Amino acid sequence: MTSRLAARMSRVKPSAIRELLRLGADPSVISFGGGYPDASLFPIAGLDEVFRKTLAENGQEALQYTVSNGMALLRRQIAERMTRDGVPCTTDEVLILQGGQQGLDLVAKMLVDKDDIIVVEDPTFLGALIAFNPCEPRYVTVGMDEDGMDVEALDAALKANPGAKFIYTVPDFHNPTGVTMSLARRKRLVEIANAHDIIILEDSPYREIRFEGERIPPIKSFDTEGRVIYLGSFSKILAPGLRLGWAVASTDLIEQLGLLKLAADTQTSTLNMAVASRFLADYDIDAHIATIRTAYRHKKNLMLDTIRQSFPQEIACTDASGGLFTWLTFPEGFDTAAFMLDHALPEARVAYVPGATFFALDQRPNHARMSYSTQTDERLVAGISALGNVLKARMGSRLRS
């Protein structure tokens, strides 16, 4: 029956990450692959109390349908948090999502027809490419450095590709590289978008997990023309199982996204929205976030220290000031996917995410993404040390082959 599938399904393929990491599902394998938060940090006691109170006191409402754009109280609470973060907005400018990932899907559906151009960072978040691909876009890529997207290269790319539909960026603790876009580049990005009359999709699920350095305002805070769509998420600061994210945008864009959400799933879970709203009201989520930041700062430093002690010196890694990831760069000619299959998994019992599929066009195999968020200290050190031993033993021959 596959002959009856729509043409767009040719762009919907199993994730290379999923296929590779399936091999690391064995509990004896130490995985640095998934971008999961540390489950030991979930506020389970608080959520347990909130679920009980919500069902006991407001169970009929919490288990009923509600408006498709999300409960008004939760939207107001998010608007207040966004305003404190430098993005003044109203309840009507907030849409509740089934996680930030749904925002990627809805924005692409709203803006992109077949062969339209999306401008993305090089590399970019693989989950975004997965969300965009069913709309059958073409991609234009813009390089990055330690300050994020090269915005002057972006300007040149937009001049060469007039009519591009939107710019996609992960400015805070980028997935996969971990870098953060500088203040100057955020301001310049908005100037360039204004000049080219193009929308910016600012995807920032890691924003509140800054554990070093000065906070930089969101790109949306510099938006004077209503062209920035901001995506946020509770997945990294509360619990991903709640599947709660949000979009902030001008009311006309939020209305269109809301119509697409209505068509997709009617609404986000009323119960989960009620629980998140009550948690925000009854608990100090900022104190909880501070605990998360401290834990991830420790994990990041432990991973990087162990990498520097254990890996060959030819391998570079980014030192993120927040988020969940470091990005490894190996010498040219090294294939991290082949190495993981041939050596890292069978010999070190370690998994990571090979970097090639984070590149929308020209895939470069000499990179890998590693997450420091989920493993205990002991398993983190053991896994990185074992991988380092295998790299030292095998990397020279791999490069010569």
Side-chain angles (χ1 to χ4, degrees):
M1 298 295 287
T2 56
S3 62
R4 297 180 181 271
L5 296 178
R8 73 180 65 89
M9 292 304 296
S10 65
R11 300 284 296 271
V12 181
K13 300 181 183 298
S15 165
I17 290 177
R18 186 186 71 177
E19 294 303 305
L20 284 165
L21 293 185
R22 177 180 57 82
L23 302 172
D26 186 326
S28 69
V29 171
I30 299 175
S31 176
F32 301 110
Y36 293 4
D38 183 346
S40 71
L41 298 173
F42 295 159
I44 292 175
L47 286 171
D48 176 63
E49 181 179 3
V50 169
F51 267 104
R52 290 173 183 272
K53 286 185 175 179
T54 299
L55 288 171
E57 299 173 15
N58 306 100
Q60 292 183 350
E61 296 85 352
L63 295 173
Q64 184 58 279
Y65 287 115
T66 189
V67 292
S68 61
N69 58 347
M71 293 176 56
L73 177 56
L74 180 59
R75 287 187 288 122
R76 182 164 67 249
Q77 290 167 312
I78 290 170
E80 291 170 354
R81 291 187 66 82
M82 293 297 302
T83 298
R84 291 196 296 272
D85 197 25
V87 181
C89 59
T90 67
T91 302
D92 291 338
E93 293 171 303
V94 177
L95 173 68
I96 306 299
L97 303 166
Q98 294 269 19
Q101 183 73 17
Q102 185 178 47
L104 303 175
D105 174 69
L106 297 181
V107 170
K109 287 178 178 175
M110 179 177 69
L111 297 176
V112 178
D113 292 315
K114 182 179 179 181
D115 294 328
D116 282 344
I117 290 173
I118 303 174
V119 182
V120 300
E121 291 155 329
D122 198 33
T124 191
F125 173 42
L126 177 58
L129 299 179
I130 292 170
F132 302 156
N133 279 343
C135 294
E136 302 177 89
R138 292 184 293 136
Y139 293 107
V140 169
T141 60
V142 177
M144 303 179 68
D145 59 23
E146 65 274 9
D147 289 321
M149 179 187 287
D150 181 344
V151 290
E152 299 311 320
L154 169 67
D155 190 31
L158 292 174
K159 289 175 181 175
N161 295 276
K165 285 301 184 73
F166 68 90
I167 303 160
Y168 172 69
T169 181
V170 185
D172 296 300
F173 324 121
H174 182 265
N175 184 355
T177 67
V179 304
T180 294
M181 186 182 292
S182 68
L183 175 62
R185 289 196 182 176
R186 293 175 192 231
K187 293 179 178 179
R188 178 65 177 140
L189 174 58
V190 174
E191 292 176 358
I192 290 169
N194 289 344
H196 291 276
D197 189 23
I198 186 171
I199 285 175
I200 299 169
L201 179 55
E202 179 180 11
D203 188 12
S204 200
Y206 313 101
R207 176 167 176 77
E208 295 197 70
I209 311 178
R210 171 179 285 279
F211 40 70
E212 294 171 4
E214 294 293 325
R215 169 195 164 277
I216 303 175
I219 296 168
K220 180 67 176 169
S221 68
F222 305 110
D223 181 20
T224 59
E225 300 185 3
R227 67 178 64 256
V228 180
I229 302 170
Y230 178 98
L231 299 181
S233 175
F234 284 106
S235 292
K236 306 303 186 293
I237 60 172
L238 194 53
L242 294 173
R243 304 312 304 135
L244 285 173
W246 67 89
V248 175
S250 61
T251 53
D252 56 337
L253 290 174
I254 285 293
E255 181 178 0
Q256 297 303 310
L257 290 170
L259 291 173
L260 288 168
K261 179 171 174 61
L262 177 63
D265 64 8
T266 306
Q267 61 160 95
T268 299
S269 162
T270 311
L271 176 60
N272 288 354
M273 286 191 288
V275 163
S277 177
R278 188 157 194 156
F279 191 94
L280 290 173
D282 292 355
Y283 286 85
D284 186 348
I285 193 171
D286 292 313
H288 173 63
I289 293 170
T291 299
I292 293 171
R293 290 171 176 161
T294 298
Y296 289 150
R297 179 192 299 116
H298 167 76
K299 287 173 177 283
K300 188 266 301 202
N301 288 335
L302 183 62
M303 174 173 276
L304 294 193
D305 287 346
T306 311
I307 285 174
R308 291 165 184 146
Q309 295 168 13
S310 305
F311 281 20
Q313 293 184 351
E314 299 91 333
I315 301 170
C317 60
T318 56
D319 188 348
S321 53
L324 306 181
F325 308 111
T326 186
W327 181 244
L328 303 180
T329 299
F330 294 74
E332 291 290 337
F334 190 88
D335 186 329
T336 59
F339 188 86
M340 188 173 93
L341 289 173
D342 295 345
H343 301 293
L345 275 169
E347 298 172 22
R349 308 301 292 160
V350 168
Y352 50 78
V353 182
T357 53
F358 290 100
F359 296 91
L361 296 177
D362 299 320
Q363 296 191 341
R364 299 197 285 278
N366 64 312
H367 296 276
R369 191 194 75 181
M370 300 190 76
S371 173
Y372 40 77
S373 56
T374 59
Q375 298 296 339
T376 64
D377 288 5
E378 293 75 16
R379 282 175 64 84
L380 189 155
V381 171
I384 295 297
S385 299
L387 180 58
N389 290 335
V390 174
L391 283 166
K392 287 177 178 177
R394 298 286 188 176
M395 203 166 85
S397 61
R398 171 72 64 170
L399 287 170
R400 290 192 296 271
S401 62

